[in-house]
Amino acid sequence: MSTVVVKNGNVDGALKVFKQKNAKDGLPKELRKREYYSKPGKKRREAKEEGIKNSRRRERNNRERNNY
């Protein structure tokens, strides 16, 4: 669990920092993933699609870096 110290009564700033910490930890993504049951086959397909997407992104980034 993330903890944030409120400084000088600045609750809005502390809330912003808290939200950023939770987003960085991946909590909202995990909650969305666990919101409903998905079949094992669907999980495999999604993982495969995610891997393909990430590999394409890496290739694109490598090509852009090599052009400079």
Side-chain angles (χ1 to χ4, degrees):
M1 182 88 183
S2 300
T3 57
V4 177
V5 178
V6 178
K7 298 178 183 175
N8 299 330
N10 188 3
V11 177
D12 292 331
L15 183 62
K16 182 179 178 181
V17 171
F18 180 73
K19 287 181 180 181
Q20 288 174 347
K21 283 186 176 183
N22 278 340
K24 187 176 180 182
D25 291 340
L27 185 66
K29 187 176 183 180
E30 184 71 22
L31 288 174
R32 268 185 260 118
K33 188 172 82 172
R34 292 176 183 255
E35 191 171 10
Y36 59 90
Y37 176 78
S38 60
K39 294 181 179 179
K42 187 173 182 181
K43 285 183 183 179
R44 282 193 300 271
R45 277 194 303 276
E46 289 173 351
K48 185 176 181 180
E49 290 171 2
E50 180 104 11
I52 291 170
K53 186 173 74 172
N54 288 339
S55 67
R56 286 181 181 161
R57 184 181 301 134
R58 267 188 251 111
E59 285 293 320
R60 188 172 53 244
N61 287 340
N62 286 337
R63 273 190 260 125
E64 289 175 358
R65 288 184 189 140
N66 291 337
N67 287 338
Y68 291 113

